[in-house]
């Protein structure tokens, strides 16, 4: 290609810049729509089954982030956001067991095992491997989860697993073993939306 | 031109590199939870704390004050006061909402019935440095008159105590409070002709957790006009106690110079001193009953 004068070269330069810029904007837009899935209103419910009483608590403000490019996943819940049937249970949970003054949130950080894109995950169970940080103790965990497509087209992450109190140094007084289970059943339902930047 | 291209690409890269941790932190901003469990019960030793009952919770409270450990009335002949009961209190508190509690009670001293109302006005949080609870207690003396016309009319038997409990939980283990209050008594309840109807009182105290479920409690009440003329010498009430919490029950074992349990009685009438054996042993037991579910999720 032969440039006839500086004027033409100038035009080409500008159009080249524009192309890069547009490409970046398109890339950006596709990223911001697709790269991350997020939630601020996930639900975590846990259940303790013991001879004297069953205890159930639930939080509806679970925060979650999934990187749809590489399968990284992060989940966080403020322990104070758990609501119990009885207010006194809630106070004891926060003050005596999880000590939410010292350790305000429970955090999970990990990644989906053998991740090959979100579309490959649907309608079957998969593993998530990572670290659960609760009550100041980090524990490596692998949990089974699944992604369900809702009617509105959004995805929902679901999982059930158990947490042993002693794994996280949560001590139950001997006289209360009939009131509180040593293993707590946890169920997690997180509706996900594409993250908007 | 290369520079501009470079800048645009760099800008892009910075977006790529946005860290998951950073994004999670952005998400979790704006969570401001109210501080809970500043104290384990609604009473310290003598004074009220800022705590109220949770909605639909009924709390049953029994308190006991024994006799003087030492001095003229104590010693081995009363087994250091254990033979004597200077005051007994039985009361029920009920939480209408999480922030409003009403209660009734009865004291042995003067056969006093009391009604109380407690309202959590301010709750400590990241934005609010202190908790403030308003407390009002009406006490009604129901015993027979000691002398004719001691109580000319029914209103002579009534006193009212109002207090603003200001407290802060400094750490999970330490809570301190400062509570100005005003006691109003009719003439018939005064100790002498020179006694005042209105007494200001400033309570101060706190809780220090020794172990997870065992705390040290201290409260001291400065009463206005201690030097006022009365038949006996008057003192500022000081209580020191150990509190045990066992999930639903709270036990408190304590020592104090005040013979009486409710503020309407101990603020004007504390006539025993820590220094001359007038200190006594006391205890309190509370039991919490949940009468309803907290929330329907």
């Amino acid at each position: 290609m032969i440039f006839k004068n500086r004027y033409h070269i100038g035009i080409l330069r500008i159009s080249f810049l524009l192309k890069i810029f547009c490409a970046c904007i398109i890339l950006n837009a596709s990223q911001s729509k697709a790269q991350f899935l997020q939630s601020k209103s996930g639900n975590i419910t846990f259940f303790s089954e013991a001879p004297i009483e069953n205890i159930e608590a639930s939080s509806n403000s679970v925060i979650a982030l999934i990187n749809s490019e590489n399968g990284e996943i992060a989940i966080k819940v403020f322990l104070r956001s758990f609501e119990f049937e009885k207010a006194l249970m809630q106070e004891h949970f926060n003050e005596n067991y999880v000590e939410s003054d010292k350790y305000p949130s429970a955090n999970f950080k990990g990644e989906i095992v053998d991740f090959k894109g979100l579309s490959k995950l649907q309608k079957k169970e998969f593993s998530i491997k990572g670290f659960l940080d609760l009550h100041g103790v980090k524990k490596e965990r692998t949990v089974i989860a699944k992604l369900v497509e809702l009617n509105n087209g959004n995805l929902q992450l679901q999982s059930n697993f158990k947490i042993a109190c002693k794994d996280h140094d949560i001590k139950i007084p001997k006289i209360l073993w009939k009131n509180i289970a040593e293993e707590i059943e946890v169920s997690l339902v997180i509706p996900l939306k594409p993250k908007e930047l | 031109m290369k520079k501009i291209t470079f800048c645009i690409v760099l800008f892009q890269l910075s977006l790529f590199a946005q860290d998951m941790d950073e994004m999670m932190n952005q998400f979790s901003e704006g969570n401001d939870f109210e501080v809970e469990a500043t104290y384990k019960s609604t009473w310290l030793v003598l004074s009220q704390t800022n705590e109220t009952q949770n909605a639909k919770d009924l709390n049953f409270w029994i308190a006991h004050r024994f006799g003087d450990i030492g001095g003229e009335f104590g010693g081995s002949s009363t087994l250091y006061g254990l033979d004597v009961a200077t005051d007994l209190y039985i009361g029920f508190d009920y939480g209408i909402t999480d922030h409003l509690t009403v209660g009734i009670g009865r004291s042995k001293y003067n056969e006093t019935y009391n009604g109380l109302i407690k309202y959590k006005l301010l709750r400590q949080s990241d934005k609010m440095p202190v908790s403030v609870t308003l407390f009002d207690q009406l006490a009604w003396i129901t015993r027979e008159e000691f002398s004719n016309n001691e109580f000319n009319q029914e209103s002579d038997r009534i006193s009212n105590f109002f207090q603003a409990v200001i407290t802060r939980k400094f750490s999970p283990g330490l809570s301190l409070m400062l509570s100005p209050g005003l006691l109003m008594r009719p003439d018939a309840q005064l100790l002498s002709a020179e006694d005042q109807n209105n007494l200001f009182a400033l309570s101060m105290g706190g809780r220090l957790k020794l172990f997870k479920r065992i705390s040290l409690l201290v409260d001291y009440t400065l009463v206005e006009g201690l030097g006022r003329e009365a038949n006996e010498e008057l003192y500022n009430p000081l209580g020191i106690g150990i509190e045990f919490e066992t999930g639903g029950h709270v036990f408190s074992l304590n020592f104090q110079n005040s013979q009486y349990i409710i503020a309407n009685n101990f603020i004007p009438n504390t006539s025993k001193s820590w220094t001359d054996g007038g200190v006594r042993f006391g205890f309190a037991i509370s039991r919490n009953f949940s009468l309803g579910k907290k929330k329907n999720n």
Side-chain angles (χ1 to χ4, degrees), chain B residues 198-222:
Chain B
N198 295 343
L199 292 175
F200 282 101
L202 182 66
S203 299
M204 53 199 90
R207 172 189 79 162
L208 179 68
K209 268 195 173 183
L210 304 176
F211 303 99
K212 212 172 196 177
R213 293 157 190 279
I214 301 176
S215 310
L216 176 71
L217 311 176
V218 178
D219 69 50
Y220 181 67
T221 304
L222 276 172

Side-chain angles (χ1 to χ4, degrees), chain B residues 49-255:
Chain B
T49 67
N50 71 309
E51 299 294 343
T52 59
Q53 303 306 321
N54 292 305
K56 296 176 191 161
D57 274 9
L58 181 73
N59 193 64
F60 177 47
W61 182 272
I62 298 176
H64 193 114
R65 301 284 183 260
F66 291 96
D68 296 8
I69 288 175
E72 196 187 336
F73 305 102
S76 59
S77 69
T78 62
L79 197 62
Y80 306 95
L82 295 184
D83 287 346
V84 185
T86 51
D87 204 3
L88 290 164
Y89 180 84
I90 298 172
F92 290 94
D93 284 0
Y94 179 73
I96 293 173
T97 69
D98 281 343
H99 302 142
L100 180 67
T101 283
V102 292
I104 50 165
R106 196 258 189 195
S107 300
K108 177 192 175 223
Y109 177 66
N110 276 343
E111 297 167 34
T112 311
Y113 283 83
N114 65 293
L116 63 89
I117 182 163
K118 222 171 165 179
Y119 178 67
K120 276 189 171 174
L121 184 68
L122 302 176
R123 274 96 51 200
Q124 186 185 338
S125 67
D126 288 346
K127 291 176 194 117
M128 179 65 61
V130 293
S131 296
V132 177
T133 294
L134 303 180
F135 173 72
D136 195 85
Q137 179 164 264
L138 206 71
W140 177 41
I141 297 171
T142 64
R143 65 165 167 79
E144 297 276 307
E145 290 177 323
F146 287 151
S147 57
N148 274 342
N149 303 324
E150 186 187 358
F151 302 115
N152 282 323
Q153 43 197 338
E154 212 52 40
S155 64
D156 286 345
R157 294 171 171 273
I158 289 170
S159 66
N160 187 63
F161 178 63
F162 174 79
Q163 193 176 39
V165 181
I166 305 164
T167 187
R168 178 173 166 82
K169 189 177 189 178
F170 287 90
S171 72
L174 180 70
S175 306
L176 295 176
M177 67 169 206
L178 195 65
S179 316
L182 176 66
L183 175 70
M184 292 183 286
R185 297 174 297 162
D187 292 341
Q189 293 182 34
L190 302 185
L191 300 176
S192 72
E194 280 74 36
D195 201 352
Q196 305 161 228
N197 292 93
N198 295 343
L199 292 175
F200 282 101
L202 182 66
S203 299
M204 53 199 90
R207 172 189 79 162
L208 179 68
K209 268 195 173 183
L210 304 176
F211 303 99
K212 212 172 196 177
R213 293 157 190 279
I214 301 176
S215 310
L216 176 71
L217 311 176
V218 178
D219 69 50
Y220 181 67
T221 304
L222 276 172
V223 181
E224 182 204 6
L226 268 193
R228 67 192 193 272
E229 211 167 295
N231 295 329
E232 353 175 53
E233 209 162 330
L234 297 170
Y235 296 93
N236 288 326
L238 168 66
I240 297 173
I242 300 280
E243 186 181 67
F244 302 85
E245 189 260 323
T246 64
H249 288 98
V250 177
F251 299 99
S252 155
L253 303 178
N254 46 54
F255 292 94

Side-chain angles (χ1 to χ4, degrees), chain A residues 38 80 85 92 95-96, chain B residues 27 34 40 212 245 294:
Chain A
Q38 67 164 12
R80 285 291 302 273
E85 192 181 292
H92 291 154
E95 208 182 15
N96 297 335
Chain B
F27 276 7
E34 286 170 7
K40 269 291 151 198
K212 212 172 196 177
E245 189 260 323
K294 191 172 158 259

